[in-house]
């Protein structure tokens, strides 16, 4: 068993996450300010406990062909601090699909990597953090999260949620529990998002991706 304090590069990834949730603006939104505060407070508390870091088998998926470009472009944005820290652990990341059945067309264009969750790599019962990578022109189907508040921070590329806006590096998208949301990405560049989920342990462990169409109902993890 190893502890976070034995893995300096991982420690600084989490520190950079905390910095984003502390210093990026909430845009005057009380629910977003509250969510950001809750994420960074939980993160501080977890880091103070020096949590376990479980070794994962590193894994690449087809969408990782875009990872280098996404990281390079991310270095130009306000998330560069987090991007730099991610580059120090990028060879250790386990990229996953998270679906038992993949929606058609998504497989070559999407992957996510967990950084902190109840099942690791950094173990937390109350907070999940990770990265989501999308190829250009990706449509991520409508889904919602039962009992979990979610935020995406754009680190690289361009993303829209529900056709309601265009989000660039530094933008934060907030999805309260049960809110259905659908993502699309820009035409030419890959998109890299950091995500944070807060919720009770049982909800984080059994996180469901509930697509709006019945045939896409499936379960993450
Ligand atoms: Fe989501």
């Amino acid at each position: 068993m190893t502890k976070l304090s034995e893995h300096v590069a991982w420690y600084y990834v989490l520190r950079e996450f905390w910095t984003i949730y502390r210093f990026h603006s909430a845009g005057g939104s009380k629910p977003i300010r509250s969510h950001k505060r809750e994420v960074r407070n939980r993160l501080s508390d977890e880091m103070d406990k020096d949590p376990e870091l479980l070794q994962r088998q590193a894994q690449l998926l087809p969408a990782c062909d875009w990872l280098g470009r996404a990281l390079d472009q991310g270095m130009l944005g306000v998330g560069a601090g987090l991007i730099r820290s991610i580059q120090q652990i990028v060879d250790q990341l386990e990229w996953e699909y998270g679906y038992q059945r993949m929606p058609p067309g998504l497989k070559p264009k999407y992957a996510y990597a967990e950084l902190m969750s109840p099942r690791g790599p950094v173990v937390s019962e109350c907070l999940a953090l990770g990265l989501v990578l999308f190829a250009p022109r990706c449509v991520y189907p409508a889904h919602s999260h039962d009992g979990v508040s979610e935020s995406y921070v754009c680190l690289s590329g361009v993303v829209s949620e529900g056709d309601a806006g265009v989000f660039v590096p530094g933008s934060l998208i907030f999805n309260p529990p049960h809110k259905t949301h659908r993502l699309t990405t820009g035409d030419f560049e890959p998109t890299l998002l950091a995500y944070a989920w807060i919720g009770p342990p049982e909800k984080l462990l059994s996180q469901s991706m509930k697509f709006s169409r019945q045939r896409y109902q499936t379960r993450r993890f």
Side-chain angles (χ1 to χ4, degrees), residues 10 56-64 67 86 90 92-100 102 106-121 128-135 138 140 143 145 150 152 183 191-197 204-209 211 218-221:
W10 282 81
R56 292 271 192 96
Q57 182 71 44
Q59 173 173 269
L60 294 172
L61 293 177
C64 296
L67 182 57
I86 290 166
V90 74
Q92 303 170 47
L93 294 177
E94 180 188 12
W95 293 93
E96 302 176 80
Y97 293 127
Y99 299 99
Q100 290 172 352
M102 287 290 287
L106 194 57
K107 202 167 185 175
K109 293 192 164 190
Y110 153 82
Y112 84 98
E114 291 182 313
L115 299 171
M116 170 182 266
S117 83
R119 65 177 202 135
L129 304 175
L131 303 170
V132 191
L133 175 65
F134 299 107
C138 181
Y140 190 72
H143 65 282
H145 304 282
E150 173 188 70
Y152 299 119
L183 301 176
T191 296
L192 184 66
L193 308 179
Y195 71 83
W197 288 342
L204 288 180
L205 258 178
S206 60
Q207 186 50 220
S208 295
M209 287 293 199
F211 294 110
T218 184
R219 179 175 289 277
R220 276 195 66 168
F221 306 153

Coordinates of all heavy atoms in Angstrom, one line a residue, residues 10 56-64 67 86 90 92-100 102 106-121 128-135 138 140 143 145 150 152 183 191-197 204-209 211 218-221:
W10 N 1.7 13.1 -8.3 CA 0.2 13.0 -8.1 C -0.2 14.0 -7.1 O -1.3 14.6 -7.2 CB -0.1 11.6 -7.6 CG -0.2 10.6 -8.7 CD1 0.9 9.9 -9.2 CD2 -1.3 10.1 -9.4 NE1 0.5 9.1 -10.2 CE2 -0.8 9.2 -10.3 CE3 -2.7 10.4 -9.3 CZ2 -1.7 8.5 -11.2 CZ3 -3.5 9.7 -10.2 CH2 -3.1 8.8 -11.1
R56 N -2.5 1.6 -10.8 CA -3.4 1.1 -11.8 C -2.5 0.7 -13.0 O -1.4 1.2 -13.2 CB -4.3 2.2 -12.4 CG -5.3 2.7 -11.4 CD -6.6 1.9 -11.5 NE -7.7 2.5 -10.8 CZ -8.6 3.3 -11.4 NH1 -8.5 3.6 -12.7 NH2 -9.6 3.8 -10.7
Q57 N -3.0 -0.2 -13.8 CA -2.3 -0.6 -15.0 C -2.6 0.5 -16.1 O -3.7 0.7 -16.4 CB -2.9 -2.0 -15.5 CG -2.2 -2.5 -16.8 CD -0.8 -3.0 -16.5 OE1 -0.5 -3.7 -15.5 NE2 0.1 -2.6 -17.4
A58 N -1.5 1.1 -16.5 CA -1.7 2.2 -17.5 C -2.4 1.6 -18.7 O -2.1 0.5 -19.2 CB -0.4 2.8 -17.9
Q59 N -3.3 2.4 -19.3 CA -4.0 1.9 -20.5 C -4.3 3.1 -21.5 O -4.7 4.1 -21.0 CB -5.3 1.3 -20.1 CG -6.2 0.9 -21.3 CD -7.4 0.1 -20.8 OE1 -7.4 -1.2 -20.8 NE2 -8.5 0.8 -20.5
L60 N -4.0 2.9 -22.7 CA -4.4 3.9 -23.8 C -5.6 3.3 -24.5 O -5.8 2.1 -24.7 CB -3.3 4.1 -24.7 CG -2.0 4.8 -24.1 CD1 -0.9 4.8 -25.1 CD2 -2.3 6.2 -23.7
L61 N -6.4 4.2 -25.0 CA -7.6 3.9 -25.9 C -7.4 4.7 -27.2 O -6.6 5.6 -27.3 CB -8.9 4.2 -25.2 CG -9.2 3.4 -24.0 CD1 -10.5 3.8 -23.3 CD2 -9.3 1.9 -24.3
P62 N -8.2 4.3 -28.2 CA -8.1 5.0 -29.5 C -8.1 6.6 -29.4 O -7.4 7.3 -30.1 CB -9.2 4.5 -30.3 CG -9.4 3.1 -29.8 CD -9.1 3.2 -28.3
A63 N -9.0 7.1 -28.6 CA -9.1 8.6 -28.4 C -7.8 9.2 -28.0 O -7.5 10.4 -28.2 CB -10.2 8.9 -27.5
C64 N -6.9 8.4 -27.3 CA -5.6 8.9 -26.8 C -4.7 9.4 -28.0 O -3.7 10.1 -27.7 CB -4.9 7.9 -25.9 SG -5.9 7.6 -24.4
L67 N -4.4 12.9 -27.4 CA -4.0 13.4 -26.1 C -2.8 14.4 -26.2 O -2.8 15.4 -25.5 CB -3.7 12.2 -25.2 CG -3.2 12.6 -23.8 CD1 -4.3 13.3 -23.1 CD2 -2.9 11.3 -23.0
I86 N -0.2 17.2 -15.0 CA -0.7 16.0 -15.6 C 0.4 15.3 -16.5 O 0.5 14.1 -16.6 CB -2.0 16.2 -16.5 CG1 -3.1 16.6 -15.5 CG2 -2.3 15.0 -17.4 CD1 -4.3 17.2 -16.2
V90 N 1.3 11.3 -17.0 CA 0.5 10.9 -18.1 C 0.8 9.4 -18.5 O -0.1 8.7 -18.9 CB 0.7 11.9 -19.3 CG1 2.1 11.7 -19.9 CG2 -0.4 11.8 -20.3
Q92 N 1.1 7.1 -16.5 CA 0.5 6.2 -15.5 C -1.0 6.1 -15.6 O -1.6 5.3 -14.9 CB 0.9 6.7 -14.1 CG 2.4 6.8 -13.8 CD 2.7 7.5 -12.5 OE1 2.1 7.2 -11.5 NE2 3.6 8.4 -12.6
L93 N -1.6 6.9 -16.5 CA -3.1 7.0 -16.5 C -3.7 5.8 -17.2 O -3.2 5.3 -18.2 CB -3.5 8.3 -17.2 CG -3.1 9.6 -16.6 CD1 -3.5 10.8 -17.4 CD2 -3.7 9.7 -15.2
E94 N -4.8 5.4 -16.6 CA -5.6 4.3 -17.2 C -6.8 4.9 -17.8 O -7.8 5.3 -17.2 CB -6.0 3.3 -16.1 CG -6.9 2.1 -16.7 CD -7.5 1.2 -15.6 OE1 -7.5 1.6 -14.4 OE2 -8.0 0.2 -15.9
W95 N -6.8 5.0 -19.1 CA -7.9 5.5 -19.9 C -9.0 4.4 -20.1 O -8.7 3.3 -20.4 CB -7.4 6.1 -21.2 CG -6.6 7.3 -21.0 CD1 -5.2 7.3 -21.0 CD2 -7.0 8.7 -20.8 NE1 -4.8 8.6 -20.7 CE2 -5.8 9.4 -20.7 CE3 -8.2 9.3 -20.8 CZ2 -5.9 10.8 -20.5 CZ3 -8.3 10.7 -20.6 CH2 -7.1 11.4 -20.5
E96 N -10.2 4.8 -19.8 CA -11.3 3.8 -19.8 C -12.5 4.4 -20.6 O -12.6 5.6 -20.9 CB -11.8 3.6 -18.4 CG -10.7 3.1 -17.5 CD -11.2 2.9 -16.0 OE1 -11.9 1.9 -15.8 OE2 -11.0 3.8 -15.2
Y97 N -13.5 3.5 -20.9 CA -14.7 3.9 -21.5 C -15.8 4.1 -20.4 O -16.6 5.0 -20.5 CB -15.2 2.9 -22.5 CG -14.4 2.7 -23.7 CD1 -13.9 1.4 -24.1 CD2 -14.1 3.8 -24.5 CE1 -13.2 1.3 -25.3 CE2 -13.3 3.6 -25.7 CZ -12.8 2.4 -26.0 OH -12.1 2.2 -27.2
G98 N -15.8 3.2 -19.5 CA -16.8 3.4 -18.4 C -18.2 2.9 -18.8 O -19.1 3.1 -18.0
Y99 N -18.4 2.3 -19.9 CA -19.7 1.8 -20.3 C -19.6 0.3 -20.6 O -18.6 -0.2 -21.2 CB -20.2 2.5 -21.6 CG -20.3 4.0 -21.5 CD1 -19.3 4.8 -22.0 CD2 -21.4 4.5 -20.9 CE1 -19.5 6.2 -21.8 CE2 -21.6 5.9 -20.8 CZ -20.6 6.7 -21.3 OH -20.7 8.1 -21.2
Q100 N -20.7 -0.4 -20.2 CA -20.8 -1.8 -20.7 C -21.1 -1.8 -22.1 O -20.7 -2.7 -22.9 CB -21.8 -2.5 -19.8 CG -21.4 -2.7 -18.4 CD -22.5 -3.2 -17.5 OE1 -23.6 -3.4 -17.9 NE2 -22.1 -3.6 -16.3
M102 N -21.2 0.7 -25.4 CA -20.8 2.1 -25.9 C -21.9 2.6 -26.9 O -22.3 1.8 -27.8 CB -19.5 2.0 -26.6 CG -18.3 1.9 -25.7 SD -18.0 3.3 -24.7 CE -17.3 4.4 -25.9
L106 N -19.1 6.5 -30.5 CA -18.3 7.1 -29.4 C -17.0 6.5 -29.1 O -16.0 7.2 -28.7 CB -19.2 7.1 -28.1 CG -18.8 8.0 -26.9 CD1 -18.7 9.5 -27.4 CD2 -19.7 7.9 -25.8
K107 N -16.9 5.2 -29.4 CA -15.7 4.4 -29.0 C -14.4 5.1 -29.5 O -13.4 5.2 -28.7 CB -15.8 3.0 -29.5 CG -15.0 2.0 -28.8 CD -15.4 0.6 -29.1 CE -14.6 -0.4 -28.3 NZ -15.0 -1.8 -28.5
P108 N -14.2 5.5 -30.7 CA -12.9 6.1 -31.1 C -12.7 7.5 -30.7 O -11.7 8.1 -31.0 CB -13.0 6.0 -32.7 CG -14.4 6.0 -33.0 CD -15.2 5.4 -31.9
K109 N -13.7 8.1 -30.1 CA -13.7 9.6 -29.8 C -13.7 10.0 -28.4 O -13.7 11.2 -28.1 CB -14.9 10.2 -30.6 CG -14.8 10.2 -32.1 CD -15.8 11.1 -32.7 CE -15.4 11.3 -34.2 NZ -16.2 12.4 -34.8
Y110 N -13.7 9.0 -27.5 CA -13.9 9.4 -26.1 C -13.1 8.4 -25.2 O -13.0 7.2 -25.4 CB -15.4 9.3 -25.8 CG -15.8 9.0 -24.3 CD1 -15.8 10.0 -23.4 CD2 -16.0 7.7 -23.9 CE1 -16.1 9.7 -22.0 CE2 -16.3 7.4 -22.6 CZ -16.3 8.4 -21.7 OH -16.6 8.2 -20.3
A111 N -12.6 9.0 -24.1 CA -12.0 8.2 -23.0 C -11.9 9.1 -21.8 O -11.9 10.3 -21.9 CB -10.6 7.8 -23.4
Y112 N -11.9 8.4 -20.7 CA -11.8 9.2 -19.4 C -10.7 8.5 -18.5 O -10.5 7.3 -18.7 CB -13.1 9.4 -18.7 CG -13.5 8.3 -17.8 CD1 -13.3 8.3 -16.4 CD2 -14.1 7.1 -18.3 CE1 -13.7 7.2 -15.6 CE2 -14.5 6.1 -17.5 CZ -14.3 6.1 -16.2 OH -14.6 5.1 -15.4
A113 N -10.1 9.2 -17.7 CA -9.1 8.7 -16.7 C -9.4 9.2 -15.3 O -9.5 10.4 -15.1 CB -7.7 9.1 -17.1
E114 N -9.6 8.3 -14.4 CA -9.8 8.7 -13.0 C -8.5 9.1 -12.4 O -7.5 8.5 -12.6 CB -10.4 7.5 -12.3 CG -11.9 7.2 -12.7 CD -12.5 6.1 -11.9 OE1 -11.8 5.1 -11.7 OE2 -13.6 6.3 -11.4
L115 N -8.6 10.1 -11.5 CA -7.5 10.6 -10.7 C -7.8 10.3 -9.2 O -6.9 9.8 -8.5 CB -7.2 12.1 -10.9 CG -6.9 12.5 -12.3 CD1 -6.9 14.0 -12.4 CD2 -5.5 11.9 -12.7
M116 N -9.0 10.5 -8.8 CA -9.4 10.3 -7.4 C -10.8 9.7 -7.4 O -11.7 10.3 -8.1 CB -9.3 11.6 -6.6 CG -10.0 11.5 -5.2 SD -9.9 13.1 -4.3 CE -8.3 12.9 -3.4
S117 N -11.1 8.7 -6.7 CA -12.5 8.1 -6.6 C -12.5 7.1 -5.5 O -11.4 6.7 -5.0 CB -12.9 7.5 -8.0 OG -12.4 6.2 -8.1
P118 N -13.7 6.5 -5.2 CA -13.7 5.4 -4.2 C -12.8 4.2 -4.6 O -12.4 3.5 -3.8 CB -15.2 5.1 -4.1 CG -15.9 6.3 -4.5 CD -15.0 7.0 -5.6
R119 N -12.6 4.1 -5.9 CA -11.8 2.9 -6.4 C -10.4 3.4 -6.8 O -9.7 2.6 -7.5 CB -12.5 2.1 -7.5 CG -12.8 2.9 -8.7 CD -13.4 2.0 -9.8 NE -13.2 2.6 -11.1 CZ -12.8 1.9 -12.2 NH1 -12.6 0.6 -12.1 NH2 -12.6 2.5 -13.3
G120 N -10.0 4.6 -6.5 CA -8.7 5.1 -6.8 C -8.7 5.8 -8.1 O -9.7 6.1 -8.7
P121 N -7.5 6.1 -8.6 CA -6.1 5.7 -8.1 C -5.9 6.4 -6.7 O -5.5 5.7 -5.8 CB -5.2 6.3 -9.1 CG -5.9 6.5 -10.3 CD -7.4 6.7 -9.9
A128 N -14.8 12.6 -6.4 CA -14.2 11.9 -7.6 C -13.7 13.0 -8.5 O -14.4 14.0 -8.8 CB -15.2 11.1 -8.3
L129 N -12.4 12.9 -9.0 CA -11.8 13.8 -9.9 C -11.2 13.0 -11.0 O -10.8 11.9 -10.9 CB -10.7 14.5 -9.2 CG -11.0 15.3 -7.9 CD1 -9.7 15.9 -7.3 CD2 -12.0 16.4 -8.2
G130 N -11.2 13.6 -12.2 CA -10.6 12.9 -13.4 C -10.6 13.8 -14.6 O -10.8 15.0 -14.5
L131 N -10.2 13.1 -15.7 CA -10.1 13.8 -17.0 C -11.0 13.1 -18.0 O -11.1 11.9 -18.0 CB -8.6 13.7 -17.5 CG -7.6 14.3 -16.5 CD1 -6.2 13.9 -17.0 CD2 -7.7 15.8 -16.4
V132 N -11.5 13.9 -18.9 CA -12.3 13.4 -20.0 C -11.7 13.9 -21.3 O -11.5 15.2 -21.4 CB -13.8 13.8 -19.9 CG1 -14.6 13.0 -21.0 CG2 -14.4 13.6 -18.6
L133 N -11.4 13.0 -22.2 CA -10.8 13.4 -23.5 C -11.8 13.1 -24.6 O -12.3 12.0 -24.7 CB -9.5 12.6 -23.7 CG -8.8 12.8 -25.0 CD1 -8.3 14.3 -25.2 CD2 -7.6 11.8 -25.1
F134 N -12.0 14.1 -25.5 CA -12.9 13.9 -26.7 C -12.1 14.3 -27.9 O -11.3 15.3 -28.0 CB -14.1 14.9 -26.6 CG -15.0 14.7 -25.4 CD1 -15.0 15.6 -24.4 CD2 -15.8 13.6 -25.4 CE1 -15.8 15.4 -23.3 CE2 -16.7 13.4 -24.3 CZ -16.7 14.3 -23.3
A135 N -12.3 13.5 -29.0 CA -11.8 13.9 -30.3 C -12.6 15.1 -30.9 O -13.7 15.4 -30.3 CB -12.0 12.7 -31.3
C138 N -17.0 15.4 -31.6 CA -17.6 14.3 -30.8 C -18.9 14.7 -30.2 O -19.1 15.9 -29.8 CB -16.6 13.9 -29.7 SG -17.2 12.6 -28.6
Y140 N -21.3 13.6 -27.2 CA -21.3 12.8 -26.0 C -22.8 12.8 -25.6 O -23.3 13.8 -25.2 CB -20.4 13.4 -24.9 CG -20.2 12.5 -23.7 CD1 -19.4 11.4 -23.8 CD2 -20.8 12.9 -22.5 CE1 -19.3 10.6 -22.6 CE2 -20.6 12.1 -21.4 CZ -19.9 11.0 -21.5 OH -19.7 10.2 -20.3
H143 N -27.0 12.5 -20.7 CA -27.0 11.6 -19.5 C -27.2 12.5 -18.3 O -27.2 13.7 -18.4 CB -25.6 10.9 -19.4 CG -24.5 11.9 -19.2 ND1 -23.9 12.6 -20.2 CD2 -23.8 12.2 -18.1 CE1 -22.9 13.3 -19.7 NE2 -22.8 13.1 -18.4
H145 N -26.6 12.4 -13.6 CA -25.9 11.8 -12.5 C -26.9 11.8 -11.3 O -27.3 12.8 -10.8 CB -24.6 12.5 -12.2 CG -23.7 12.6 -13.4 ND1 -23.0 11.6 -13.9 CD2 -23.5 13.6 -14.2 CE1 -22.3 11.9 -14.9 NE2 -22.6 13.2 -15.2
E150 N -21.9 17.6 -10.5 CA -20.8 17.5 -11.4 C -20.3 18.9 -11.9 O -21.2 19.7 -12.1 CB -21.2 16.6 -12.6 CG -20.1 16.6 -13.7 CD -20.7 15.9 -14.9 OE1 -21.5 16.4 -15.6 OE2 -20.2 14.7 -15.2
Y152 N -17.5 20.3 -15.0 CA -16.4 20.1 -15.9 C -15.7 21.4 -16.1 O -16.3 22.5 -16.2 CB -17.0 19.8 -17.3 CG -17.9 18.6 -17.5 CD1 -19.2 18.7 -17.9 CD2 -17.3 17.3 -17.3 CE1 -20.0 17.6 -18.1 CE2 -18.1 16.2 -17.6 CZ -19.5 16.4 -17.9 OH -20.2 15.3 -18.2
L183 N -23.0 16.8 -24.5 CA -21.8 17.6 -24.9 C -21.5 17.4 -26.4 O -21.6 16.3 -26.9 CB -20.6 17.2 -24.1 CG -20.7 17.3 -22.5 CD1 -19.4 16.8 -21.9 CD2 -20.9 18.7 -22.1
T191 N -10.7 18.0 -27.2 CA -11.1 18.7 -26.0 C -10.7 17.9 -24.8 O -11.0 16.7 -24.8 CB -12.7 19.0 -26.0 OG1 -13.0 19.8 -27.1 CG2 -13.1 19.6 -24.7
L192 N -10.1 18.5 -23.9 CA -9.8 17.9 -22.6 C -10.5 18.6 -21.5 O -10.3 19.8 -21.3 CB -8.3 17.9 -22.4 CG -7.8 17.2 -21.1 CD1 -8.0 15.7 -21.2 CD2 -6.3 17.4 -20.9
L193 N -11.3 17.9 -20.7 CA -12.0 18.4 -19.6 C -11.5 17.8 -18.3 O -11.2 16.6 -18.3 CB -13.5 18.2 -19.6 CG -14.2 18.6 -20.9 CD1 -15.7 18.2 -20.8 CD2 -14.1 20.1 -21.2
A194 N -11.4 18.6 -17.2 CA -11.3 18.0 -15.9 C -12.7 17.9 -15.3 O -13.5 18.8 -15.5 CB -10.4 18.9 -15.0
Y195 N -13.0 16.9 -14.6 CA -14.3 16.8 -13.9 C -14.1 16.6 -12.4 O -13.1 16.0 -11.9 CB -15.1 15.7 -14.6 CG -14.7 14.2 -14.2 CD1 -15.1 13.6 -13.0 CD2 -13.9 13.5 -15.1 CE1 -14.7 12.3 -12.7 CE2 -13.5 12.2 -14.8 CZ -13.9 11.6 -13.6 OH -13.5 10.4 -13.3
A196 N -15.2 17.0 -11.7 CA -15.3 16.8 -10.3 C -16.7 16.4 -10.0 O -17.6 17.0 -10.5 CB -14.9 18.1 -9.5
W197 N -16.8 15.3 -9.2 CA -18.1 14.9 -8.7 C -18.1 14.9 -7.2 O -17.2 14.4 -6.6 CB -18.4 13.4 -9.2 CG -18.7 13.2 -10.6 CD1 -19.0 14.1 -11.5 CD2 -18.6 11.9 -11.3 NE1 -19.2 13.5 -12.8 CE2 -19.0 12.2 -12.6 CE3 -18.3 10.6 -10.9 CZ2 -19.0 11.2 -13.6 CZ3 -18.4 9.7 -11.9 CH2 -18.7 9.9 -13.2
L204 N -21.3 7.8 -5.5 CA -20.1 7.9 -6.3 C -19.6 6.5 -6.8 O -19.2 6.4 -7.9 CB -18.9 8.5 -5.4 CG -19.0 10.0 -5.2 CD1 -17.8 10.5 -4.3 CD2 -19.1 10.9 -6.4
L205 N -19.8 5.5 -5.9 CA -19.4 4.2 -6.3 C -20.3 3.6 -7.4 O -19.8 2.9 -8.2 CB -19.5 3.3 -5.0 CG -18.2 2.9 -4.3 CD1 -18.5 2.1 -3.1 CD2 -17.2 2.3 -5.3
S206 N -21.6 3.9 -7.3 CA -22.5 3.3 -8.3 C -23.0 4.3 -9.3 O -24.1 4.3 -9.6 CB -23.7 2.6 -7.6 OG -24.4 3.6 -6.9
Q207 N -22.1 5.2 -9.7 CA -22.4 6.2 -10.6 C -23.0 5.7 -11.9 O -22.4 4.8 -12.6 CB -21.2 7.1 -10.9 CG -21.5 8.3 -11.7 CD -22.7 9.1 -11.2 OE1 -23.5 9.6 -11.9 NE2 -22.7 9.2 -9.9
S208 N -24.2 6.2 -12.3 CA -24.9 5.7 -13.4 C -24.9 6.8 -14.5 O -25.1 7.9 -14.2 CB -26.3 5.4 -13.1 OG -26.4 4.3 -12.2
M209 N -24.6 6.3 -15.7 CA -24.8 7.2 -16.9 C -26.2 6.9 -17.4 O -26.4 5.8 -18.0 CB -23.7 6.9 -17.9 CG -22.4 7.4 -17.6 SD -22.4 9.2 -17.5 CE -20.6 9.5 -17.6
F211 N -28.6 7.6 -20.1 CA -28.8 8.3 -21.3 C -30.3 8.5 -21.5 O -31.1 7.7 -21.0 CB -28.2 7.5 -22.5 CG -26.7 7.5 -22.4 CD1 -26.1 6.3 -22.2 CD2 -26.0 8.7 -22.6 CE1 -24.7 6.3 -22.1 CE2 -24.6 8.6 -22.5 CZ -24.0 7.5 -22.3
T218 N -27.2 2.4 -19.2 CA -26.1 1.5 -18.8 C -25.5 2.1 -17.5 O -26.0 3.0 -16.9 CB -25.0 1.6 -20.0 OG1 -24.0 0.7 -19.6 CG2 -24.4 3.0 -20.2
R219 N -24.4 1.5 -17.1 CA -23.9 1.9 -15.8 C -22.4 2.1 -15.9 O -21.7 1.3 -16.6 CB -24.1 0.7 -14.8 CG -23.6 0.9 -13.4 CD -24.0 -0.2 -12.5 NE -25.4 -0.1 -12.2 CZ -25.9 0.7 -11.2 NH1 -25.1 1.4 -10.5 NH2 -27.2 0.7 -11.0
R220 N -21.9 3.2 -15.3 CA -20.5 3.4 -15.3 C -19.9 2.5 -14.2 O -20.5 2.2 -13.3 CB -20.2 4.8 -15.0 CG -20.2 5.7 -16.2 CD -19.6 7.0 -15.9 NE -18.2 6.9 -15.6 CZ -17.3 7.9 -15.6 NH1 -17.7 9.1 -15.7 NH2 -16.0 7.7 -15.4
F221 N -18.6 2.2 -14.4 CA -17.8 1.5 -13.4 C -18.2 0.1 -13.4 O -18.7 -0.8 -13.5 CB -17.8 2.0 -12.0 CG -17.4 3.4 -11.9 CD1 -17.9 4.2 -10.8 CD2 -16.6 4.0 -12.8 CE1 -17.6 5.5 -10.7 CE2 -16.3 5.4 -12.7 CZ -16.8 6.1 -11.7

